[in-house]
Amino acid sequence: MDLKNKKQTSRWSLQSTSDPKNKWVFQIDPVPFTIGRDKDCNLTLKSKGVSRHHAQLNVSGNMLWIHDSGSTNGTFLNGKPITESMTLTIGDNLRIGQVGFCVLGMDESHLPDEDAGDDNKTVFLDIPDPLPEQLDSYTAPFKKMIHDRAVMPHFQPILTLSDQGIKGYEILGRLPRGVDLPPNPADLFEIAVLLDMESELSSLFREVGVNHGQRLPESSILFVNTHPIELIKIRNLKKSLRKIRKAAASSTIVLEINEKAITDLKRLKSLQTELKNLDIGLAYDDFGVGQTRLIELAKFPPDFLKFDISLIRKIHLAPKRLHQLIVTFLNMSQDLGATTIAEGVECKEEGETCRQLGFDYAQGNFYGVPMPISQFGLPEQISSAN
């Protein structure tokens, strides 16, 4: 695509929400922007529920429009099927077949350079097989689970590489046995997307997790997660953060934000102000893959920077040029005052290499698998603030 000759640059983007581990952001550019299973679409989705030419996005002035192109499984806006062209706004939930997206705006700093040259490439997003067609059967148990707060958070230790001492735990959302829902968190969030309840599910995992975490040693840092939609529905996130701070007044809490989810500097600034007021730390998760956002990192430096598992896996076998790149990022993090964490350490060699390169902390199954608090051998008392 010749960017110099294009009529306009879209200031809109889509963020995938179907897989919590891969929150890719796609700029809606050029327009019209086609989505479907066919390789000629601007965004190609390799999913059984997506038609060859499923939907089309258009921009008119400051307005973003979507039109279903006669798809088999439908296009859904905030849980409702689209029967005609509809306007979209920031924060809307869009579902193409079974693939979920959140509508985002684009910060000026993320717009392409008009002299950038030819970069019109089709993006392939490989989506796992959709959930069973009898999705309606999950609606009642899912809502009951939310109402009853029937989750069983797991905790994975985070250690200092210098002495292997435990500094804290990441709280991971899980379900107890006997709940008539898929146990895989990715499937749970897929259901939540379809029900427009991903914010509620994320808040529930976070709040119950912090509540359970009160039984850990007082010095333990509690790392809690977010869902990308919460950075759009930021009022709900702030409400949840105030709730966990009230329930755990003396705990050290750190909020993790997926590095690829950071697209709106104004919202990020507002959130960072709230975090400071609540004395809650900030961590950028999955750093170092995809479109690393160095501008946000410099303007809003986090307290912790968690390097993505893809950089850590078999790092002891990686070429020296990758080690050199990682060291550059580690030095930059140190200059910003951020503590670095290597995620996904699976063996002694990976951990030792991370220590030699200069990582501060590490996390992974080599140091401890996620498990419920009941398996820690701690006192049974749990605060009633749930």
Side-chain angles (χ1 to χ4, degrees):
M1 175 182 64
D2 185 354
L3 291 173
K4 291 183 179 180
N5 295 329
K6 74 177 179 186
K7 294 182 179 180
Q8 64 182 125
T9 297
S10 170
R11 297 175 184 269
W12 299 87
S13 62
L14 295 178
Q15 182 174 58
S16 64
T17 59
S18 293
D19 183 356
K21 294 183 179 180
N22 294 295
K23 299 298 177 185
W24 304 111
V25 176
F26 307 103
Q27 187 182 357
I28 300 171
D29 184 33
V31 288
F33 187 87
T34 56
I35 303 175
R37 203 175 67 251
D38 194 280
K39 65 180 181 179
D40 294 326
C41 292
N42 299 109
L43 177 56
T44 301
L45 304 177
K46 297 171 67 177
S47 173
K48 294 178 182 178
V50 175
S51 299
R52 289 186 60 204
H53 296 92
H54 198 108
Q56 185 179 93
L57 293 163
N58 274 287
V59 175
S60 177
N62 293 323
M63 302 181 70
L64 177 66
W65 295 79
I66 186 165
H67 173 75
D68 184 273
S69 303
S71 66
T72 301
N73 294 307
T75 302
F76 296 80
L77 175 60
N78 298 322
K80 297 181 179 180
I82 293 175
T83 57
E84 56 186 3
S85 295
M86 301 283 291
T87 57
L88 302 173
T89 60
I90 293 176
D92 278 345
N93 293 314
L94 189 62
R95 179 159 61 88
I96 307 296
Q98 295 286 0
V99 184
F101 294 94
C102 179
V103 178
L104 304 178
M106 289 292 292
D107 184 83
E108 286 289 336
S109 62
H110 297 141
L111 295 177
D113 189 324
E114 290 194 350
D115 294 324
D118 186 4
D119 67 350
N120 184 24
K121 293 180 168 61
T122 300
V123 179
F124 291 86
L125 187 61
D126 197 356
I127 301 298
D129 289 341
L131 293 171
E133 293 183 0
Q134 58 272 24
L135 186 61
D136 288 344
S137 65
Y138 289 140
T139 301
F142 184 90
K143 291 183 176 180
K144 186 177 188 302
M145 178 266 294
I146 295 289
H147 179 270
D148 295 344
R149 305 180 73 78
V151 297
M152 182 59 67
H154 282 43
F155 295 77
Q156 185 170 40
I158 297 174
L159 302 87
T160 54
L161 279 168
S162 59
D163 61 8
Q164 307 288 292
I166 295 179
K167 294 296 294 185
Y169 297 84
E170 180 178 355
I171 299 173
L172 302 167
R174 300 289 188 271
L175 295 185
R177 294 180 180 178
V179 178
D180 192 20
L181 289 167
N184 189 324
D187 289 341
L188 284 177
F189 274 102
E190 177 67 18
I191 296 171
V193 167
L194 300 180
L195 297 176
D196 194 21
M197 295 181 68
E198 56 266 53
S199 179
E200 288 85 347
L201 179 60
S202 182
S203 295
L204 179 59
F205 281 146
R206 187 167 50 241
E207 293 162 13
V208 176
V210 168
N211 174 242
H212 283 228
Q214 297 309 290
R215 293 165 55 193
L216 294 167
E218 291 184 2
S219 59
S220 299
I221 304 172
L222 300 178
F223 289 80
V224 297
N225 286 289
T226 55
H227 187 278
I229 193 64
E230 293 184 287
L231 299 184
I232 304 299
K233 299 180 178 180
I234 200 164
R235 289 184 180 180
N236 293 340
L237 176 58
K238 290 180 178 180
K239 181 180 178 180
S240 175
L241 293 175
R242 289 191 288 266
K243 189 172 183 178
I244 62 174
R245 173 47 75 202
K246 183 178 179 180
S250 61
S251 295
T252 302
I253 301 173
V254 175
L255 183 75
E256 293 190 21
I257 298 176
N258 189 286
E259 185 257 344
K260 293 186 286 291
I262 306 167
T263 58
D264 191 316
L265 295 182
K266 185 179 295 185
R267 283 191 175 88
L268 184 57
K269 181 178 181 180
S270 173
L271 176 60
Q272 195 168 51
T273 299
E274 184 73 14
L275 291 173
K276 288 181 178 179
N277 291 338
L278 295 172
D279 192 25
I280 294 177
L282 175 64
Y284 292 157
D285 191 20
D286 297 339
F287 178 78
V289 295
Q291 189 176 16
T292 298
R293 302 188 181 283
L294 298 179
I295 293 177
E296 291 81 350
L297 186 64
K299 288 186 176 181
F300 304 99
D303 301 288
F304 295 88
L305 197 58
K306 302 186 75 173
F307 283 63
D308 188 76
I309 187 174
S310 63
L311 293 175
I312 307 304
R313 187 59 48 81
K314 296 184 178 180
I315 191 172
H316 57 295
L317 303 177
K320 287 188 177 181
R321 61 179 179 273
L322 177 59
H323 288 182
Q324 292 168 351
L325 176 62
I326 291 175
V327 169
T328 298
F329 281 134
L330 291 174
N331 292 336
M332 177 189 65
S333 303
Q334 185 178 29
D335 292 340
L336 294 172
T339 299
T340 54
I341 303 175
E343 286 193 291
V345 176
E346 296 288 336
C347 65
K348 180 180 179 180
E349 292 78 11
E350 290 176 354
E352 177 59 21
T353 302
C354 288
R355 186 192 67 79
Q356 293 176 359
L357 290 175
F359 279 95
D360 299 308
Y361 295 172
Q363 175 183 356
N365 290 343
F366 176 68
Y367 301 112
V369 298
M371 63 177 62
I373 204 78
S374 60
Q375 297 183 20
F376 279 64
L378 298 170
E380 294 298 324
Q381 181 179 359
I382 297 180
S383 167
S384 60
N386 207 5

